[in-house]
Amino acid sequence: MTAGSVARVVGLALWLVLTLFPLYWVVVTSFKSPGSINRWPLEYWPSEPSIDNYTELFATSSFGTFIGNSLVVALVAGATATLIALLSAYVLARFEFRGKGAVLGAFLLTQMIPAFIALGPLYAMLADLGLVDTKPGLALVYVAMCIPFSTVMLRGFFENMPDALEEAAMIDGCSRLGALFRVLVPVMAPGIVAAFIFNFVNCWNELFLSVVLMNSDANKTIPAALNGFISTFNIAWGPMSAAAVLTVLPTMVLFALASRWIVEGLTAGSVKE
């Protein structure tokens, strides 16, 4: 191996360690007994592994309810945003109309605007609708948040699809919507799955809006619940680490099971023939 190859391997190894060490430390901390978390010198592996933090997590909080809330909100918002983005991306890819460039520019512009800028009007609107501190209200906000990115992402897939596919289906008697869902959607399934997974993960991990809009324990999602472990004078490192591990696991399993679809989806729309 040349010196350059060795340097690259060493650099990648160091980057991997720096990337994985925080996750490793959270997992290790979650299995430490409460008295050994702040012990000095630090224990890089628990001398007496314990699941007390996990039992305390479910005994002293409604963490099961938080998981259920996050799952419902993320699934509903992710699926709804993906469906709406699919239709809007199809229109932007297949039709020419006045203001099309402005619409695309607006979609891209929303990705550069922090969410807290629109928090005041957003909160007032949800309050008028009676949707503050409700799962439908939070899901509605997440749908609006996910649609622009998903639309731009799926538009690339449609532009990579030849017009002849849907034209042939329409000649055989399909309507335009029939050609879309019967012909194009099965072909671009990897892209749709990739868009849904990104939407789901964004909704699952979102903190700022969930903390502001959800107040009661019955409706809180996991990120808002994790924020509750931090008080003015103390941080419950053990239960918070256990909660973080349980929070990360679903997304890791999701990415592991759908990794092939994600890779195909991200590359399928990257080149236009």
Side-chain angles (χ1 to χ4, degrees):
M1 295 180 65
T2 63
S5 299
V6 172
R8 282 194 296 271
V9 171
V10 172
L12 290 174
L14 290 175
W15 180 256
L16 182 64
V17 171
L18 291 174
T19 303
L20 294 181
F21 183 77
L23 179 61
Y24 165 80
W25 192 251
V26 169
V27 174
V28 168
T29 303
S30 71
F31 287 104
K32 288 182 178 180
S33 60
S36 64
I37 291 178
N38 296 319
R39 182 180 300 169
W40 186 264
L42 295 175
E43 292 183 352
Y44 291 92
W45 185 259
S47 57
E48 299 177 358
S50 171
I51 61 171
D52 290 346
N53 293 318
Y54 290 90
T55 56
E56 180 183 351
L57 175 65
F58 286 94
T60 60
S61 68
S62 304
F63 195 72
T65 301
F66 302 149
I67 292 178
N69 292 339
S70 286
L71 191 61
V72 169
V73 171
L75 283 175
V76 171
T80 304
T82 303
L83 177 60
I84 296 175
L86 178 71
L87 298 175
S88 59
Y90 178 74
V91 172
L92 290 173
R94 288 292 192 259
F95 297 96
E96 294 296 332
F97 54 90
R98 182 177 298 177
K100 177 179 176 179
V103 172
L104 286 173
F107 280 167
L108 294 174
L109 183 63
T110 58
Q111 305 304 299
M112 297 182 284
I113 300 176
F116 68 85
I117 291 179
L119 183 59
L122 181 63
Y123 190 93
M125 181 177 64
L126 291 179
D128 291 340
L129 296 173
L131 294 177
V132 174
D133 196 23
T134 64
K135 290 186 284 292
L138 186 62
L140 183 63
V141 173
Y142 285 168
V143 168
M145 180 182 69
C146 292
I147 285 176
F149 174 79
S150 301
T151 299
V152 175
M153 179 179 178
L154 291 174
R155 176 175 173 264
F157 297 108
F158 280 119
E159 289 187 337
N160 197 42
M161 296 287 175
D163 296 343
L165 287 176
E166 59 203 275
E167 290 174 357
M170 293 171 67
I171 290 174
D172 290 337
C174 282
S175 64
R176 186 170 287 277
L177 279 179
L180 169 63
F181 286 102
R182 293 184 182 183
V183 178
L184 295 184
V185 167
V187 174
M188 59 180 295
I192 297 174
V193 172
F196 169 75
I197 290 176
F198 276 100
N199 289 336
F200 177 87
V201 172
N202 284 335
C203 298
W204 180 270
N205 293 329
E206 200 281 325
L207 171 64
F208 181 74
L209 293 173
S210 63
V211 169
V212 174
L213 298 177
M214 309 297 274
N215 302 317
S216 63
D217 288 344
N219 292 318
K220 279 185 179 179
T221 56
I222 290 179
L226 286 174
N227 190 62
F229 288 105
I230 303 174
S231 62
T232 305
F233 302 103
N234 184 44
I235 299 178
W237 290 112
M240 186 169 68
S241 298
V245 171
L246 296 177
T247 302
V248 171
L249 278 178
T251 55
M252 292 181 64
V253 172
L254 182 63
F255 273 102
L257 294 177
S259 59
R260 178 177 65 86
W261 293 78
I262 296 173
V263 173
E264 291 182 7
L266 291 177
T267 56
S270 58
V271 178
K272 183 177 180 181
E273 297 180 355

